Amino acid sequence: MVVVFATTPLAGLACAGGSLLGRLTRQLILLPVRDVHVVTRGDDSFRGLDDVAGLDGAAEFRHTVTASDGLAEDLRIVARVARSSTSAVAVLSGDVVAHTEALAALLEHPSRGTGAIVGNGEAGPLRPPVRTESSTVLSAGNSFHQVEWANGTFRGVLQVGEAHLGSLADVADELARLAQSRQLGRAGDTEVADLLLAGLVRAGVPVRAAAIGPLHCERVAGQIAADAAVQRLAEVDEQAARLDAAIKTGDGFFATYCVSSWSRHLVRPAARLSLTPNAVTGISIGLAAIAAVWFSEGDRLAQIIGALALYLSFVLDCVDGQLARYTRTFSPLGNWLDAISDRVKEYVVYAGLAVGYAAAPEGPRGIWTLAVAVMILQTVRHLVDFSYSGSVADAAKAADPAEREYSLADAWDTVQGTRPPATGAASVLALSRRLDSGAAYWLKKIIVLPIGERMALIAVTAALFDARVTFLALLTWGGGALLYTLAGRIARSFA
């Protein structure tokens, strides 16, 4: 369900033979969205509604039009929709001009969770400020609610996942009450989505910041601005931007510079061949098995061939995720298969290396002890990571937004806008964040020995030396990574 607010004449501005509202609705159908609820001021004489009515012939498309007499009623409509909906609800401004891919970054995300389209640039009346951290909106503003340390702008497109529809209804009702009693200052008809975003964040609902990169998504204030915005859309290659967005950010150094720098060229051919992400994962597992077989031969040429096969296996391990993001074909099975396959590939390769080394006449018998020690170390490291992630998720669930005390009548967000206490742990974390740039950033990535660095370490040491060197290197680096990770987890727990 998408609620589009065409409550000002701006939604009816001319655009490519139609109106902004008509253009936006056609984009929603392409995503696809099949249920569009248009809110107007009761004057349906502007051409935008005619454009929407003309789309009723589209397959399974349904639209309804509701007249509202002001901001308070707009918000009550959102509350009613939220309480009656059984799926995610999106709230859009009818004057949005955007790339379809920009809308898809939020509305077609497989999680169908709560999020808002956020971009860069200077804040203004149609670009309210937000503060984000780690792709999460921490504070959101509008003409009434203020934001400290803003580092982004909201672009008028908000989606609320099914799990948070109750919070959306409560926030919308509270905002409607405040609007009715004129306690929201100069907040006007164009700020429904802005107010709802601020309310959800203050209520403690986790809101994902959907970044749009080079794509455009903006609201316009007149015909000249609308024409200029549409022209800017044509200056960007949407498909290239979609491919760029499919390349995961925040990866390790090796994955970023030695794999993702060229693996992107495999994504489109894989999509044209109708390969699924799970199929690519299967091929990656097969290449790892081939690497293990070559490693088990034990001679130098076989070690080199095994190292190359292992590298290609990791390349495809990256491509499966890139393909999933490019085609937006995520599944619980795919997520599980991708996670478990990494462990299977690693341990099969360890076994192959140990077999090849033990078969050599001069090979010491203790090689299997080293292999098992590496497996145990990696298992402990993964348990630490998964258990910490689970604890964070449990803490987030325990902090029920419905039980959180907040005020939408205050202009300043005293919950999200305060600085963290200057504890020792918080100071360590603050120092860590200040190092999130340049060489220090990559050093922090490398220290934790992510899977890319592990695969590179295995391939290089196996090709140039032998399995004993490989296992000792993994134990040394992996042990240090475990201590570093534990120290960071403890610091975050006390911050």
Side-chain angles (χ1 to χ4, degrees):
M1 163 70 79
V2 174
V3 182
V4 180
F5 282 91
T7 51
T8 72
L10 294 174
L13 293 174
C15 173
S19 67
L20 293 185
L21 178 59
R23 180 184 187 279
L24 181 60
T25 305
R26 285 190 292 273
Q27 289 178 295
L28 294 175
I29 294 174
L30 290 174
L31 287 180
V33 170
R34 293 294 176 256
D35 197 349
V36 176
H37 193 108
V38 181
V39 181
T40 72
R41 279 291 172 265
D43 179 10
D44 56 8
S45 60
F46 72 85
R47 61 198 294 182
L49 287 177
D50 295 333
D51 288 346
V52 176
L55 295 173
D56 277 333
E60 301 179 6
F61 171 70
R62 183 171 69 92
H63 93 279
T64 56
V65 179
T66 301
S68 170
D69 60 7
L71 177 61
E73 181 60 21
D74 292 346
L75 292 162
R76 292 191 186 98
I77 290 172
V78 173
R80 290 197 294 270
V81 169
R83 290 195 170 94
S84 63
S85 179
T86 57
S87 61
V89 172
V91 179
L92 285 74
S93 300
D95 53 9
V96 166
V97 176
H99 284 107
T100 303
E101 285 299 322
L103 297 174
L106 176 64
L107 303 183
E108 206 176 26
H109 193 276
S111 70
R112 298 290 289 158
T114 301
I117 292 184
V118 173
N120 299 318
E122 185 176 352
L126 298 180
R127 285 186 173 187
V130 296
R131 181 162 65 90
T132 67
E133 184 176 322
S134 301
S135 298
T136 300
V137 180
L138 298 183
S139 187
N142 44 67
S143 64
F144 177 73
H145 299 108
Q146 304 300 305
V147 174
E148 289 186 299
W149 316 308
N151 57 4
T153 54
F154 174 52
R155 300 306 177 89
V157 184
L158 170 69
Q159 178 175 266
V160 180
E162 184 179 352
H164 301 134
L165 291 180
S167 295
L168 173 62
D170 293 341
V171 165
D173 278 337
E174 174 64 11
L175 287 168
R177 184 186 67 79
L178 294 174
Q180 190 75 44
S181 58
R182 302 183 183 279
Q183 296 183 61
L184 293 178
R186 294 177 289 108
D189 295 355
T190 62
E191 298 184 78
V192 175
D194 309 347
L195 289 165
L196 290 172
L197 177 58
L200 289 169
V201 172
R202 290 196 180 192
V205 174
V207 180
R208 178 175 68 93
I212 54 177
L215 297 172
H216 294 293
C217 180
E218 53 193 301
R219 300 177 61 190
V220 296
Q223 189 64 60
I224 294 177
D227 293 340
V230 172
Q231 178 60 38
R232 283 193 291 273
L233 298 183
E235 297 171 357
V236 178
D237 184 341
E238 272 192 90
Q239 291 306 309
R242 178 173 180 170
L243 181 58
D244 289 340
I247 308 304
K248 185 179 177 181
T249 58
D251 256 337
F253 181 86
F254 182 78
T256 299
Y257 289 102
C258 299
V259 177
S260 296
S261 56
W262 67 273
S263 65
R264 66 176 61 230
H265 301 299
L266 302 177
V267 175
R268 282 179 176 173
R272 284 195 291 268
L273 291 171
S274 298
L275 288 176
T276 65
N278 290 348
V280 175
T281 301
I283 298 172
S284 174
I285 294 173
L287 281 170
I290 290 172
V293 170
W294 281 104
F295 285 144
S296 68
E297 291 294 316
D299 62 81
R300 181 58 53 208
L301 179 60
Q303 297 288 102
I304 293 173
I305 295 174
L308 290 174
L310 183 61
Y311 170 67
L312 292 177
S313 173
F314 179 66
V315 170
L316 292 184
D317 188 40
C318 295
V319 171
D320 63 1
Q322 294 166 0
L323 180 62
R325 288 184 287 273
Y326 182 74
T327 58
R328 301 191 185 98
T329 51
F330 294 90
S331 69
L333 173 62
N335 290 336
W336 175 82
L337 184 62
D338 184 57
I340 200 69
S341 68
D342 289 341
R343 308 293 80 77
V344 170
K345 288 184 292 186
E346 275 191 82
Y347 297 162
V348 166
V349 167
Y350 294 160
L353 285 167
V355 168
Y357 192 78
E362 69 279 5
R365 303 302 95 184
I367 194 65
W368 281 105
T369 302
L370 290 176
V372 171
V374 172
M375 291 183 186
I376 293 173
L377 175 61
Q378 287 304 122
T379 301
V380 171
R381 291 188 61 210
H382 295 312
L383 286 175
V384 168
D385 288 339
F386 285 121
S387 62
Y388 182 78
S389 299
S391 298
V392 172
D394 291 342
K397 291 179 181 178
D400 186 355
E403 299 178 359
R404 172 171 170 161
E405 294 184 4
Y406 63 94
S407 173
L408 298 178
D410 292 332
W412 289 97
D413 188 350
T414 56
V415 175
Q416 296 288 359
T418 54
R419 295 183 183 274
T423 63
S427 300
V428 171
L429 291 179
L431 175 62
S432 177
R433 293 190 181 101
R434 284 197 293 270
L435 295 176
D436 278 346
S437 62
Y441 170 81
W442 290 116
L443 181 60
K444 288 170 59 180
K445 289 282 188 180
I446 292 171
I447 286 174
V448 297
L449 191 59
I451 186 162
E453 274 66 13
R454 286 203 305 278
M455 292 301 177
L457 181 62
I458 294 169
V460 171
T461 55
L464 298 181
F465 304 103
D466 55 37
R468 185 173 183 275
V469 173
T470 298
F471 292 146
L472 288 175
L474 287 169
L475 286 171
T476 303
W477 193 345
L482 176 60
L483 293 176
Y484 177 85
T485 301
L486 286 173
R489 298 285 188 264
I490 293 171
R492 284 178 172 81
S493 299
F494 286 100

